[in-house]
Amino acid sequence: MAHPTLFITGSSKPLHGSIEVRGAKNDILKGLAASLLVSGKVAYTNIPHIEDVDRTLELLESLGVSVHSDGARKMTVDASHINGHILRRDIAEQMRASIVLAGPVLARKGRVRFPFPGGCVLGKRPIDLFMNGWRAMGARVRMIGDEYEFSARKLKGADITFYKVSVTGTEAMMLTAVLAHGTTVLRNAALEPEIPHLADFLNASGARIVGAGTPTITIEGTGGQLLKGGATFETLPDRIEAGSFAALVAARGGKVKITHCNPEHLAVPIEILREIGVRVTTGKDFMIVERAGKLKPIDIIKTREYPGFPTDLQAPFAIIMTQAHGASLIFETIFEGRMVFIDDLNRMGAYITMCDPHRILVNGPTELQGRRMESPDIRAGLAFVIAAAIAKGHTILEGIYKIDRGYEKIEQRLRRIGVDIGRKKS
Ligand code: EPZ
């Protein structure tokens, strides 16, 4: 079978023009899961054309949900009748976000079965927080082979404290609690913008959720009554895509307007860019990133839960720091296995020292050289595209399904701002 690859020829020519940001994978996937709580039609807009959306729709359809495309970036989903409780193994074990479908299916069907959810390999990524939450709400778990089956005749509200902050953990418990009997309180909840956005959509459909976007979320369950259709879920712009485009401009130089984004969701990355000598001006839904002179190093970039510096931008920002004049420390605090991508960068000519599994020291400036590489995961995959775009010579990037999982036709948009990039089926 032919596997597509990206061909990139690097350059130091300044980038120019404007580039549009698409809807966020990590917003739409949770929005699609929410359709399972609704009787009636739900409209979705600003949908990115990415592999993970297609896989999630296939999962929903296998449960009996009907999906209707309403043209470019729009669709209607109707989950009034669902007839299954098993999440398709081939999809669920490739996609971590599949776990957010489990709670709604459990609430609707009294049971749900799924494999250990896969996805990008960033470390262990256990599911104990989900298991603790569902158990607290009265579900029992048994293993069928290596799959989990949770069952509960009636889900009851519970007081749940997350011992660590989890994005999908918060979303999954919020989605589960909506149809439960009684009130659920989630403590030490994640604050990512996708969470209040999901809560706003659920509330517009008749749910009663208070506090989303703060560490304590209270959900008054409907006691099994499905929410009403009619609301629209407008996918948030992808803050990680926007931040990665900004990283590309910072690393290569030039002046680019990044449109259809929300700079408020990127306050810390923007501040870091300014700190190292990049000019960033922002409007309500755009930002202009300009870099002409030398880049300065920075003491530390430390990943943190929102509103801190996002772990998903750690690899793209590591590429910028290879071009700064001095040494910069990057400290990954969320995942324990997310820095392995540096081996490939060092093979390109970067000078990055791993201090321990959580910290790297990036020494710059270094001239990168294009080579044949494989995309390790969605976010580091795009970071490799950035590295290739500033390197000397040609890069062939394989394994780009991982990039297509989260970014829509990336080469077409990057070409418009001056990156020499193409896709080949080889
Ligand atoms: C979400 O993953 C995103 N994925 C990730 O984006 C993102 O990197 C991450 O949040 C952090 O922002 C989706 O939204 C689909 P976590 P998630 O649970 O929810 C540990 C991408 O490329 N943990 O907030 O899985 C976990 O191992 C991806 O789009 C437990 O210990 O991340 C990590 O150390 C990559 N037990 C920490 O919590 C659990 O039960 C935070 O992870 C759950 C998580």
Side-chain angles (χ1 to χ4, degrees):
M1 203 176 82
H3 294 289
T5 44
L6 287 176
F7 281 68
I8 303 147
T9 304
S11 159
S12 54
K13 234 166 96 184
L15 300 170
H16 56 86
S18 75
I19 187 163
E20 203 173 297
V21 172
R22 300 285 185 238
K25 167 178 87 71
N26 289 344
D27 191 49
I28 180 70
L29 298 188
K30 322 320 170 35
L32 287 170
S35 71
L36 289 167
L37 302 174
V38 178
S39 174
K41 291 184 175 153
V42 175
Y44 293 87
T45 61
N46 195 30
I47 302 169
H49 296 164
I50 54 174
E51 296 290 345
D52 274 16
V53 165
D54 291 346
R55 295 297 85 71
T56 302
L57 293 174
E58 285 163 18
L59 261 180
L60 287 171
E61 284 176 322
S62 73
L63 294 168
V65 174
S66 72
V67 177
H68 186 266
S69 164
D70 299 326
R73 313 196 181 289
K74 284 189 187 160
M75 67 172 78
T76 312
V77 174
D78 188 344
S80 306
H81 307 287
I82 62 169
N83 50 30
H85 72 281
I86 300 174
L87 302 190
R88 257 178 67 179
R89 185 185 178 105
D90 57 330
I91 299 177
E93 69 183 1
Q94 300 296 330
M95 213 174 59
R96 175 83 178 180
S98 60
I99 200 167
V100 295
L101 303 181
V105 173
L106 173 61
R108 293 275 302 263
K109 305 302 283 181
R111 60 187 171 143
V112 62
R113 191 168 139 186
F114 57 88
F116 188 86
C120 295
V121 182
L122 313 173
K124 289 194 296 289
R125 304 189 86 183
I127 60 164
D128 52 336
L129 296 170
F130 301 81
M131 302 198 31
N132 294 349
W134 287 321
R135 281 197 181 112
M137 295 176 80
R140 288 151 55 106
V141 61
R142 66 178 180 137
M143 299 302 292
I144 301 182
D146 60 355
E147 299 202 338
Y148 297 83
E149 185 173 90
F150 281 83
S151 55
R153 270 212 302 273
K154 192 167 140 179
L155 285 166
K156 54 181 182 17
D159 197 314
I160 297 169
T161 299
F162 298 107
Y163 75 86
K164 66 169 93 149
V165 179
S166 166
V167 179
T168 41
T170 302
E171 292 161 337
M173 289 312 131
M174 196 164 85
L175 288 164
T176 309
V178 165
L179 300 187
H181 296 254
T183 302
T184 297
V185 182
L186 305 178
R187 302 180 196 276
N188 198 23
L191 309 179
E192 271 65 7
E194 298 80 35
I195 294 166
H197 185 237
L198 181 63
D200 287 347
F201 165 76
L202 291 166
N203 284 341
S205 305
R208 284 171 300 226
I209 303 172
V210 176
T214 77
T216 306
I217 304 177
T218 305
I219 305 122
E220 223 182 286
T222 64
Q225 181 82 39
L226 289 180
L227 303 181
K228 60 179 185 347
T232 296
F233 185 95
E234 182 178 356
T235 314
L236 290 179
D238 193 333
R239 61 197 163 91
I240 305 304
E241 187 174 273
S244 303
F245 292 159
L248 167 64
V249 183
R252 168 119 156 213
K255 181 176 179 181
V256 172
K257 183 173 184 181
I258 301 169
T259 65
H260 298 76
C261 63
N262 183 347
E264 264 182 32
H265 293 164
L266 283 166
V268 174
I270 288 174
E271 210 43 43
I272 287 175
L273 289 173
R274 289 179 176 144
E275 198 64 29
I276 61 174
V278 180
R279 206 176 142 151
V280 186
T281 39
T282 61
K284 192 169 170 291
D285 60 357
F286 70 87
M287 53 187 180
I288 298 169
V289 181
E290 184 176 7
R291 203 269 283 176
K294 280 186 180 174
L295 287 171
K296 291 183 279 179
I298 191 159
D299 285 359
I300 188 167
I301 297 179
K302 185 173 174 183
T303 66
R304 257 202 52 203
E305 295 85 3
Y306 190 84
F309 184 87
T311 168
D312 289 347
L313 282 178
Q314 179 248 105
F317 273 59
I319 313 293
I320 310 178
M321 301 329 296
T322 65
Q323 304 308 303
H325 290 247
S328 308
L329 184 72
I330 303 187
F331 187 2
E332 167 60 55
T333 71
I334 311 286
F335 293 107
E336 69 281 7
R338 206 169 197 181
M339 304 203 107
V340 286
F341 69 93
I342 69 157
D343 290 343
D344 276 296
L345 290 184
N346 282 339
R347 286 186 204 112
M348 290 180 86
Y351 176 19
I352 305 176
T353 312
M354 185 171 278
C355 312
D356 61 49
H358 286 276
R359 288 178 306 157
I360 55 172
L361 192 66
V362 187
N363 302 284
T366 47
E367 187 175 75
L368 304 183
Q369 178 68 47
R371 58 193 302 276
R372 182 179 280 268
M373 296 193 292
E374 170 141 5
S375 172
D377 63 65
I378 302 175
R379 311 302 179 186
L382 187 52
F384 282 4
V385 172
I386 298 172
I390 63 170
K392 272 184 85 173
H394 308 289
T395 292
I396 298 172
L397 193 56
E398 294 169 337
I400 61 168
Y401 177 81
K402 288 183 184 145
I403 297 178
D404 294 338
R405 283 187 57 190
Y407 300 108
E408 179 183 321
K409 298 196 183 85
I410 198 69
E411 70 283 6
Q412 293 184 6
R413 285 178 291 150
L414 292 182
R415 262 202 306 269
R416 273 184 227 128
I417 57 168
V419 179
D420 185 349
I421 179 170
R423 175 183 297 248
K424 276 197 193 143
K425 287 201 175 92
S426 63

